[in-house]
Amino acid sequence: MFDEIQFDKINRLPKYIFAQINDLKMSARRSGEDIIDFSMGNPDAPTPAPIINKLCETANRNKTHGYSASKGIYKLRLAMTKWYKRKYGVILNPDTEVVATMGSKEGYVHLVQAISNPGDVAIVPDPTYPIHSQAFILAGASVEKMQLIFDEDTFEVDENKFFENLLDALDNSVPRAKFLVVNFPHNPTTATVTPQFYERLVAIAKEQRFYIISDIAYADITFDGYTTPSILEVKGAKDVAVESYTLSKSYNMAGWRVGFIVGNKKLIGALQSIKSWLDYGMFTPIQVAATVALDEHNYIPKEQIIPRYRKRRDVMIESFAKAGWELSTPNATMFIWAKIPEIARDMGSLEFSKQLLVKAGVAVSPGIGFGKYGDKYVRIALIENEKRIRQASKNIKKFLKELAEEKKRKEEVNND
């Protein structure tokens, strides 16, 4: 009888494609194989010592062990307002325009739960970080996809095409879309936009009457002179937009789960309300340490985090090219969005990722897991050191050579 009970919300979720790669990876490791893992954006370096020290110091105070504030302690919210003022010249009210969340992912999902009605429509560019679309599915809303088009050499978004596709998506959505999700620098493609992009976007949102949810999780990780803009820099943006930020990548604090949603008072108020029912906030010592990270150690991304990823990016592009896999150079994030080598492109990203793992011992994320427009690509996270990257290139060179030889043999057999 219990087999007949259905969980419709869960049934709406698609099959988790990345699980197939994870299963192969774990099986190989259990067999004693060395897997060079570029599949998940999980920073490999430790959290900087001053932040850890502050956590330990605060945790040793008995009064910090009780329930905290669901929207975050005041000093942490204030630190976020200082970050925006320092980086973007944006003024935020720490009480009404900022919520500290258990990572930006939790904050994003709870925001969507708070503001979505059943049947609402959100427009999400494709490819996309999966939760950007699936959060709306979990909330009983619907998603209208639009293709994200960018220059494959510079990774700059084709802004004219973006707005053309956006207007088409608005016309195609039934009912008319209430939300648009943007995420620049983009995960998975690393695509970037200009400040002028947000000026146009805010104007369209006001004209067409939809809210914008902007995710700038990789705002701090930029290279070669590029600077991430914020939508909140645009005059009047707070009328239509909220933005999420996280310490996960900028400070190597992924497991700490410290993020923020800031901006529009109505949306922030909805998030504050739903969180007051769902949680009591982060462990207070984590919040204190995060406050110190933002206020006293804001040099860390520039001096420690960016140089590590830039070096790995450059080593990977150079060594993979020698292996026969040409990669374009991103100017932001901790990823490389890599077009599958021509010799293997007809496999599709999932099969290519499987073979790369099994035959070369290298794990990447298949682009199809981020949407149908990602199937010619894989996402490579820069989470292995330079020595491991060079070893991966040697494995890949051998794999691609064997693939070419196998393809040649098949062609000769077919010709005979």
Side-chain angles (χ1 to χ4, degrees):
M1 115 180 216
F2 285 101
D3 290 341
E4 298 174 1
I5 298 175
Q6 297 295 314
F7 304 117
D8 292 341
K9 185 178 292 186
I10 298 303
N11 290 340
R12 291 186 71 195
L13 291 173
K15 186 175 182 180
Y16 192 61
I17 290 175
F18 303 117
Q20 298 182 51
I21 301 300
N22 291 336
D23 289 345
L24 283 173
K25 183 171 61 179
M26 296 309 298
S27 176
R29 283 179 171 161
R30 283 192 292 268
S31 300
E33 296 179 38
D34 177 30
I35 301 299
I36 302 172
D37 191 0
F38 301 121
S39 63
M40 186 177 180
N42 189 15
D44 60 312
T47 303
I51 303 172
I52 296 174
N53 293 341
K54 192 64 181 181
L55 169 71
C56 296
E57 174 194 324
T58 311
N60 280 319
R61 301 175 191 163
N62 293 337
K63 292 184 178 181
T64 64
H65 294 181
Y67 292 128
S68 188
S70 61
K71 66 180 180 180
I73 62 174
Y74 177 77
K75 286 187 177 180
L76 178 57
R77 287 182 279 117
L78 184 63
M80 186 78 276
T81 68
K82 292 177 183 177
W83 184 88
Y84 264 94
K85 176 71 182 304
R86 188 169 60 240
K87 192 174 181 73
Y88 295 117
V90 171
I91 305 298
L92 292 167
N93 184 314
D95 291 317
T96 61
E97 297 177 328
V98 180
V99 179
T101 61
M102 299 175 190
S104 60
K105 187 174 184 179
E106 174 271 333
Y108 176 84
V109 172
H110 280 166
L111 172 69
V112 170
Q113 291 282 339
I115 64 178
S116 296
N117 300 322
D120 280 350
V121 177
I123 297 173
V124 181
D126 183 333
T128 186
Y129 182 54
I131 198 62
H132 283 160
S133 58
Q134 299 313 321
F136 287 97
I137 302 302
L138 287 168
S142 299
V143 173
E144 178 77 24
K145 292 290 186 70
M146 57 172 271
Q147 185 178 5
L148 179 65
I149 298 175
F150 53 91
D151 187 297
E152 294 189 351
D153 293 321
T154 66
F155 292 103
E156 294 174 356
V157 169
D158 184 330
E159 297 184 3
N160 289 329
K161 193 64 180 176
F162 182 95
F163 290 109
E164 180 182 322
N165 288 351
L166 172 59
L167 292 174
D168 286 344
L170 285 166
D171 289 341
N172 291 334
S173 62
V174 180
R176 196 161 179 83
K178 186 187 288 187
F179 309 104
L180 167 71
V181 179
V182 290
N183 164 218
F184 301 111
H186 190 251
N187 180 10
T189 71
T190 79
T192 57
V193 295
T194 65
Q196 291 72 33
F197 170 87
Y198 288 126
E199 291 175 4
R200 292 177 66 181
L201 185 57
V202 168
I204 290 175
K206 289 185 175 184
E207 178 185 328
Q208 300 287 339
R209 299 182 62 80
F210 61 83
Y211 284 114
I212 304 161
I213 304 173
S214 169
D215 177 0
I216 57 169
Y218 297 92
D220 290 325
I221 304 176
T222 60
F223 317 110
D224 307 330
Y226 178 75
T227 300
T228 301
S230 165
I231 194 171
L232 298 181
E233 292 177 282
V234 179
K235 184 178 180 180
K238 285 193 285 186
D239 295 337
V240 294
V242 290
E243 194 160 68
S244 64
Y245 173 74
T246 174
L247 275 67
S248 292
K249 309 307 192 300
S250 301
Y251 293 84
N252 282 347
M253 294 173 64
W256 295 54
R257 311 312 303 133
V258 183
F260 303 89
I261 308 287
V262 307
N264 180 271
K265 289 182 180 179
K266 184 176 181 179
L267 301 189
I268 294 300
L271 177 57
Q272 289 178 346
S273 179
I274 200 169
K275 280 181 65 63
S276 71
W277 285 95
L278 296 175
D279 68 69
Y280 289 107
M282 293 169 274
F283 184 41
T284 298
I286 289 178
Q287 297 191 62
V288 173
T291 302
V292 169
L294 290 168
D295 281 345
E296 300 178 19
H297 304 291
N298 52 73
Y299 59 87
I300 285 174
K302 184 176 181 180
E303 295 184 10
Q304 298 181 23
I305 309 301
I306 292 174
R308 178 183 297 113
Y309 290 128
R310 181 173 54 231
K311 176 67 173 175
R312 292 178 179 182
R313 178 199 68 172
D314 294 345
V315 169
M316 180 172 287
I317 288 170
E318 178 186 4
S319 61
F320 277 37
K322 293 177 180 177
W325 192 356
E326 296 287 343
L327 308 175
S328 296
T329 305
N331 60 6
T333 80
M334 57 185 290
F335 304 112
I336 289 181
W337 186 240
K339 183 168 278 190
I340 298 170
E342 183 66 38
I343 190 72
R345 203 163 297 162
D346 58 351
M347 291 183 187
S349 60
L350 181 57
E351 183 60 27
F352 173 74
S353 299
K354 288 179 178 180
Q355 291 202 25
L356 192 65
L357 196 155
V358 172
K359 297 181 179 180
V362 176
V364 297
S365 294
I368 190 66
F370 301 99
K372 68 178 183 179
Y373 292 111
D375 202 24
K376 293 181 181 179
Y377 303 83
V378 295
R379 193 194 69 178
I380 307 173
L382 300 170
I383 55 170
E384 296 270 15
N385 62 40
E386 290 89 339
K387 182 179 178 181
R388 299 276 285 171
I389 291 171
R390 290 190 176 96
Q391 181 58 55
S393 71
K394 293 177 183 177
N395 296 2
I396 290 168
K397 183 176 183 178
K398 181 181 177 184
F399 166 65
L400 293 178
K401 182 181 178 182
E402 291 174 352
L403 200 60
E405 290 172 349
E406 181 183 349
K407 202 164 191 176
K408 184 178 179 181
R409 285 194 299 270
K410 287 182 179 179
E411 289 174 354
E412 289 173 348
V413 168
N414 289 336
N415 289 336
D416 291 342

Short mmCIF file of all heavy atoms in Angstrom, two decimals, residues 194-233:
data_model
loop_
_atom_site.label_atom_id
_atom_site.label_comp_id
_atom_site.label_asym_id
_atom_site.label_seq_id
_atom_site.Cartn_x
_atom_site.Cartn_y
_atom_site.Cartn_z
N THR A 194 29.34 43.14 -18.58
CA THR A 194 29.80 44.50 -18.29
C THR A 194 28.81 45.20 -17.36
O THR A 194 27.65 44.77 -17.23
CB THR A 194 29.92 45.31 -19.58
OG1 THR A 194 28.59 45.46 -20.15
CG2 THR A 194 30.83 44.61 -20.59
N PRO A 195 29.20 46.33 -16.75
CA PRO A 195 28.23 47.10 -15.96
C PRO A 195 27.04 47.56 -16.79
O PRO A 195 25.91 47.65 -16.28
CB PRO A 195 29.06 48.29 -15.47
CG PRO A 195 30.48 47.79 -15.45
CD PRO A 195 30.57 46.87 -16.63
N GLN A 196 27.27 47.84 -18.08
CA GLN A 196 26.19 48.30 -18.95
C GLN A 196 25.11 47.22 -19.13
O GLN A 196 23.94 47.53 -19.33
CB GLN A 196 26.75 48.70 -20.32
CG GLN A 196 27.61 49.95 -20.29
CD GLN A 196 28.97 49.75 -19.63
OE1 GLN A 196 29.55 48.66 -19.73
NE2 GLN A 196 29.48 50.78 -18.97
N PHE A 197 25.53 45.96 -19.04
CA PHE A 197 24.57 44.85 -19.12
C PHE A 197 23.50 45.00 -18.05
O PHE A 197 22.30 44.86 -18.31
CB PHE A 197 25.32 43.53 -18.95
CG PHE A 197 24.42 42.33 -18.77
CD1 PHE A 197 23.93 41.64 -19.86
CD2 PHE A 197 24.08 41.88 -17.49
CE1 PHE A 197 23.10 40.53 -19.70
CE2 PHE A 197 23.25 40.77 -17.32
CZ PHE A 197 22.77 40.10 -18.43
N TYR A 198 23.92 45.29 -16.81
CA TYR A 198 22.97 45.42 -15.72
C TYR A 198 22.10 46.66 -15.86
O TYR A 198 20.93 46.66 -15.43
CB TYR A 198 23.70 45.42 -14.38
CG TYR A 198 24.25 44.06 -14.00
CD1 TYR A 198 25.60 43.90 -13.68
CD2 TYR A 198 23.42 42.94 -13.96
CE1 TYR A 198 26.11 42.66 -13.34
CE2 TYR A 198 23.92 41.70 -13.62
CZ TYR A 198 25.27 41.56 -13.30
OH TYR A 198 25.78 40.33 -12.96
N GLU A 199 22.63 47.71 -16.45
CA GLU A 199 21.82 48.91 -16.68
C GLU A 199 20.65 48.58 -17.61
O GLU A 199 19.50 48.96 -17.34
CB GLU A 199 22.67 50.02 -17.28
CG GLU A 199 23.71 50.59 -16.30
CD GLU A 199 24.63 51.60 -16.96
OE1 GLU A 199 24.41 51.92 -18.15
OE2 GLU A 199 25.56 52.08 -16.27
N ARG A 200 20.94 47.85 -18.68
CA ARG A 200 19.88 47.45 -19.61
C ARG A 200 18.91 46.48 -18.94
O ARG A 200 17.69 46.57 -19.14
CB ARG A 200 20.50 46.78 -20.85
CG ARG A 200 21.30 47.72 -21.72
CD ARG A 200 21.94 46.99 -22.90
NE ARG A 200 20.95 46.45 -23.83
CZ ARG A 200 21.27 45.76 -24.93
NH1 ARG A 200 22.55 45.50 -25.20
NH2 ARG A 200 20.33 45.31 -25.73
N LEU A 201 19.46 45.57 -18.13
CA LEU A 201 18.62 44.54 -17.51
C LEU A 201 17.65 45.15 -16.51
O LEU A 201 16.46 44.79 -16.48
CB LEU A 201 19.51 43.50 -16.81
CG LEU A 201 18.79 42.30 -16.20
CD1 LEU A 201 17.97 41.58 -17.26
CD2 LEU A 201 19.80 41.36 -15.56
N VAL A 202 18.11 46.08 -15.69
CA VAL A 202 17.23 46.73 -14.71
C VAL A 202 16.13 47.50 -15.42
O VAL A 202 14.95 47.47 -15.01
CB VAL A 202 18.05 47.65 -13.79
CG1 VAL A 202 17.12 48.55 -12.96
CG2 VAL A 202 18.94 46.83 -12.86
N ALA A 203 16.48 48.19 -16.50
CA ALA A 203 15.48 48.95 -17.24
C ALA A 203 14.40 48.03 -17.81
O ALA A 203 13.20 48.34 -17.74
CB ALA A 203 16.17 49.73 -18.37
N ILE A 204 14.81 46.89 -18.35
CA ILE A 204 13.83 45.94 -18.91
C ILE A 204 12.97 45.34 -17.80
O ILE A 204 11.76 45.15 -17.96
CB ILE A 204 14.55 44.83 -19.71
CG1 ILE A 204 15.14 45.42 -21.00
CG2 ILE A 204 13.61 43.68 -20.04
CD1 ILE A 204 15.97 44.45 -21.80
N ALA A 205 13.59 45.03 -16.65
CA ALA A 205 12.83 44.44 -15.54
C ALA A 205 11.74 45.40 -15.06
O ALA A 205 10.62 44.98 -14.74
CB ALA A 205 13.78 44.10 -14.39
N LYS A 206 12.06 46.68 -15.02
CA LYS A 206 11.06 47.66 -14.60
C LYS A 206 9.95 47.80 -15.65
O LYS A 206 8.77 47.90 -15.30
CB LYS A 206 11.73 49.01 -14.35
CG LYS A 206 12.61 49.02 -13.11
CD LYS A 206 13.17 50.40 -12.83
CE LYS A 206 13.94 50.41 -11.52
NZ LYS A 206 14.42 51.75 -11.16
N GLU A 207 10.35 47.76 -16.90
CA GLU A 207 9.37 47.89 -17.98
C GLU A 207 8.47 46.66 -18.08
O GLU A 207 7.25 46.77 -18.24
CB GLU A 207 10.11 48.10 -19.30
CG GLU A 207 9.20 48.20 -20.51
CD GLU A 207 10.00 48.29 -21.80
OE1 GLU A 207 11.11 48.85 -21.80
OE2 GLU A 207 9.51 47.75 -22.83
N GLN A 208 9.08 45.47 -17.97
CA GLN A 208 8.35 44.22 -18.15
C GLN A 208 7.81 43.64 -16.84
O GLN A 208 7.13 42.61 -16.84
CB GLN A 208 9.26 43.18 -18.84
CG GLN A 208 9.77 43.61 -20.20
CD GLN A 208 8.70 43.58 -21.26
OE1 GLN A 208 7.69 42.89 -21.12
NE2 GLN A 208 8.91 44.31 -22.35
N ARG A 209 8.18 44.24 -15.72
CA ARG A 209 7.66 43.88 -14.40
C ARG A 209 8.03 42.46 -13.99
O ARG A 209 7.18 41.57 -13.87
CB ARG A 209 6.14 44.09 -14.34
CG ARG A 209 5.72 45.54 -14.57
CD ARG A 209 4.22 45.73 -14.46
NE ARG A 209 3.73 45.40 -13.12
CZ ARG A 209 3.80 46.20 -12.07
NH1 ARG A 209 4.38 47.38 -12.18
NH2 ARG A 209 3.31 45.83 -10.91
N PHE A 210 9.32 42.24 -13.79
CA PHE A 210 9.79 40.98 -13.20
C PHE A 210 10.94 41.28 -12.24
O PHE A 210 11.60 42.32 -12.33
CB PHE A 210 10.21 39.97 -14.27
CG PHE A 210 11.35 40.41 -15.15
CD1 PHE A 210 12.69 40.28 -14.75
CD2 PHE A 210 11.10 40.95 -16.42
CE1 PHE A 210 13.73 40.68 -15.57
CE2 PHE A 210 12.14 41.35 -17.24
CZ PHE A 210 13.46 41.22 -16.82
N TYR A 211 11.15 40.36 -11.32
CA TYR A 211 12.26 40.48 -10.36
C TYR A 211 13.50 39.77 -10.90
O TYR A 211 13.40 38.78 -11.62
CB TYR A 211 11.88 39.85 -9.02
CG TYR A 211 10.94 40.68 -8.17
CD1 TYR A 211 9.65 40.23 -7.90
CD2 TYR A 211 11.35 41.90 -7.63
CE1 TYR A 211 8.78 40.97 -7.11
CE2 TYR A 211 10.49 42.65 -6.84
CZ TYR A 211 9.21 42.19 -6.58
OH TYR A 211 8.36 42.93 -5.80
N ILE A 212 14.66 40.27 -10.50
CA ILE A 212 15.94 39.69 -10.88
C ILE A 212 16.63 39.11 -9.64
O ILE A 212 16.73 39.79 -8.62
CB ILE A 212 16.87 40.75 -11.51
CG1 ILE A 212 16.20 41.42 -12.71
CG2 ILE A 212 18.21 40.12 -11.92
CD1 ILE A 212 16.85 42.75 -13.08
N ILE A 213 17.07 37.87 -9.76
CA ILE A 213 17.90 37.26 -8.72
C ILE A 213 19.29 37.09 -9.31
O ILE A 213 19.49 36.30 -10.24
CB ILE A 213 17.34 35.90 -8.26
CG1 ILE A 213 15.89 36.05 -7.79
CG2 ILE A 213 18.21 35.32 -7.14
CD1 ILE A 213 15.21 34.73 -7.47
N SER A 214 20.24 37.84 -8.78
CA SER A 214 21.62 37.82 -9.29
C SER A 214 22.52 37.07 -8.32
O SER A 214 22.51 37.34 -7.12
CB SER A 214 22.13 39.26 -9.47
OG SER A 214 23.52 39.29 -9.73
N ASP A 215 23.29 36.14 -8.85
CA ASP A 215 24.21 35.34 -8.04
C ASP A 215 25.64 35.72 -8.43
O ASP A 215 26.05 35.51 -9.57
CB ASP A 215 23.95 33.85 -8.30
CG ASP A 215 24.92 32.93 -7.56
OD1 ASP A 215 25.81 33.43 -6.84
OD2 ASP A 215 24.80 31.70 -7.72
N ILE A 216 26.39 36.29 -7.47
CA ILE A 216 27.79 36.65 -7.75
C ILE A 216 28.73 35.87 -6.81
O ILE A 216 29.64 36.43 -6.20
CB ILE A 216 28.04 38.16 -7.65
CG1 ILE A 216 27.64 38.73 -6.29
CG2 ILE A 216 27.31 38.90 -8.77
CD1 ILE A 216 28.13 40.16 -6.06
N ALA A 217 28.53 34.56 -6.77
CA ALA A 217 29.34 33.70 -5.91
C ALA A 217 30.83 33.80 -6.23
O ALA A 217 31.68 33.60 -5.37
CB ALA A 217 28.88 32.25 -6.03
N TYR A 218 31.16 34.11 -7.50
CA TYR A 218 32.56 34.16 -7.92
C TYR A 218 33.04 35.58 -8.17
O TYR A 218 33.98 35.81 -8.93
CB TYR A 218 32.75 33.29 -9.18
CG TYR A 218 32.44 31.85 -8.89
CD1 TYR A 218 31.16 31.33 -9.09
CD2 TYR A 218 33.41 31.00 -8.36
CE1 TYR A 218 30.86 30.02 -8.77
CE2 TYR A 218 33.11 29.69 -8.04
CZ TYR A 218 31.84 29.21 -8.24
OH TYR A 218 31.54 27.90 -7.92
N ALA A 219 32.40 36.54 -7.50
CA ALA A 219 32.72 37.95 -7.72
C ALA A 219 34.18 38.26 -7.48
O ALA A 219 34.77 39.10 -8.18
CB ALA A 219 31.84 38.82 -6.82
N ASP A 220 34.78 37.62 -6.49
CA ASP A 220 36.16 37.95 -6.11
C ASP A 220 37.21 37.26 -6.96
O ASP A 220 38.38 37.66 -6.95
CB ASP A 220 36.41 37.59 -4.64
CG ASP A 220 35.66 38.50 -3.68
OD1 ASP A 220 35.52 39.70 -4.00
OD2 ASP A 220 35.21 38.02 -2.62
N ILE A 221 36.84 36.20 -7.67
CA ILE A 221 37.84 35.39 -8.37
C ILE A 221 37.86 35.82 -9.84
O ILE A 221 37.13 35.28 -10.68
CB ILE A 221 37.55 33.89 -8.22
CG1 ILE A 221 37.47 33.53 -6.74
CG2 ILE A 221 38.64 33.06 -8.91
CD1 ILE A 221 37.10 32.09 -6.46
N THR A 222 38.68 36.81 -10.12
CA THR A 222 38.80 37.35 -11.47
C THR A 222 40.26 37.51 -11.83
O THR A 222 41.12 37.63 -10.95
CB THR A 222 38.09 38.71 -11.58
OG1 THR A 222 38.70 39.63 -10.65
CG2 THR A 222 36.60 38.59 -11.27
N PHE A 223 40.54 37.52 -13.14
CA PHE A 223 41.92 37.56 -13.63
C PHE A 223 42.09 38.61 -14.73
O PHE A 223 41.12 39.06 -15.34
CB PHE A 223 42.32 36.19 -14.21
CG PHE A 223 41.89 35.01 -13.38
CD1 PHE A 223 40.89 34.15 -13.83
CD2 PHE A 223 42.46 34.76 -12.15
CE1 PHE A 223 40.48 33.06 -13.08
CE2 PHE A 223 42.06 33.67 -11.38
CZ PHE A 223 41.07 32.82 -11.85
N ASP A 224 43.35 38.94 -14.97
CA ASP A 224 43.74 39.73 -16.16
C ASP A 224 43.01 41.07 -16.24
O ASP A 224 42.66 41.54 -17.32
CB ASP A 224 43.50 38.92 -17.43
CG ASP A 224 44.16 37.54 -17.37
OD1 ASP A 224 45.21 37.42 -16.71
OD2 ASP A 224 43.62 36.59 -17.97
N GLY A 225 42.78 41.69 -15.09
CA GLY A 225 42.19 43.02 -15.08
C GLY A 225 40.68 43.07 -15.06
O GLY A 225 40.11 44.17 -14.94
N TYR A 226 40.01 41.92 -15.20
CA TYR A 226 38.54 41.95 -15.17
C TYR A 226 38.04 42.17 -13.75
O TYR A 226 38.58 41.61 -12.79
CB TYR A 226 37.96 40.64 -15.71
CG TYR A 226 36.45 40.62 -15.66
CD1 TYR A 226 35.71 41.37 -16.57
CD2 TYR A 226 35.76 39.91 -14.67
CE1 TYR A 226 34.32 41.40 -16.52
CE2 TYR A 226 34.38 39.93 -14.62
CZ TYR A 226 33.66 40.67 -15.54
OH TYR A 226 32.29 40.71 -15.48
N THR A 227 37.00 42.99 -13.60
CA THR A 227 36.36 43.25 -12.31
C THR A 227 34.88 42.92 -12.42
O THR A 227 34.20 43.38 -13.34
CB THR A 227 36.53 44.72 -11.89
OG1 THR A 227 37.91 45.02 -11.78
CG2 THR A 227 35.85 44.98 -10.55
N THR A 228 34.39 42.13 -11.49
CA THR A 228 32.97 41.74 -11.51
C THR A 228 32.09 42.92 -11.13
O THR A 228 32.26 43.51 -10.06
CB THR A 228 32.72 40.60 -10.51
OG1 THR A 228 33.53 39.49 -10.85
CG2 THR A 228 31.25 40.20 -10.50
N PRO A 229 31.12 43.27 -11.99
CA PRO A 229 30.16 44.30 -11.59
C PRO A 229 29.05 43.71 -10.73
O PRO A 229 28.84 42.49 -10.71
CB PRO A 229 29.60 44.79 -12.93
CG PRO A 229 29.70 43.60 -13.83
CD PRO A 229 30.92 42.82 -13.38
N SER A 230 28.35 44.57 -10.02
CA SER A 230 27.17 44.17 -9.25
C SER A 230 25.95 44.84 -9.84
O SER A 230 25.99 46.01 -10.22
CB SER A 230 27.32 44.58 -7.78
OG SER A 230 26.07 44.51 -7.11
N ILE A 231 24.85 44.12 -9.89
CA ILE A 231 23.62 44.72 -10.39
C ILE A 231 23.17 45.87 -9.49
O ILE A 231 22.54 46.83 -9.95
CB ILE A 231 22.49 43.66 -10.51
CG1 ILE A 231 21.33 44.20 -11.34
CG2 ILE A 231 22.01 43.18 -9.14
CD1 ILE A 231 20.29 43.17 -11.70
N LEU A 232 23.55 45.83 -8.21
CA LEU A 232 23.10 46.85 -7.27
C LEU A 232 23.80 48.19 -7.47
O LEU A 232 23.40 49.20 -6.88
CB LEU A 232 23.29 46.36 -5.84
CG LEU A 232 22.48 45.10 -5.47
CD1 LEU A 232 22.72 44.71 -4.03
CD2 LEU A 232 20.99 45.30 -5.74
N GLU A 233 24.83 48.21 -8.32
CA GLU A 233 25.47 49.49 -8.67
C GLU A 233 24.54 50.35 -9.52
O GLU A 233 24.72 51.57 -9.60
CB GLU A 233 26.75 49.22 -9.46
CG GLU A 233 27.87 48.58 -8.66
CD GLU A 233 29.07 48.28 -9.53
OE1 GLU A 233 29.04 47.28 -10.27
OE2 GLU A 233 30.05 49.06 -9.47
#
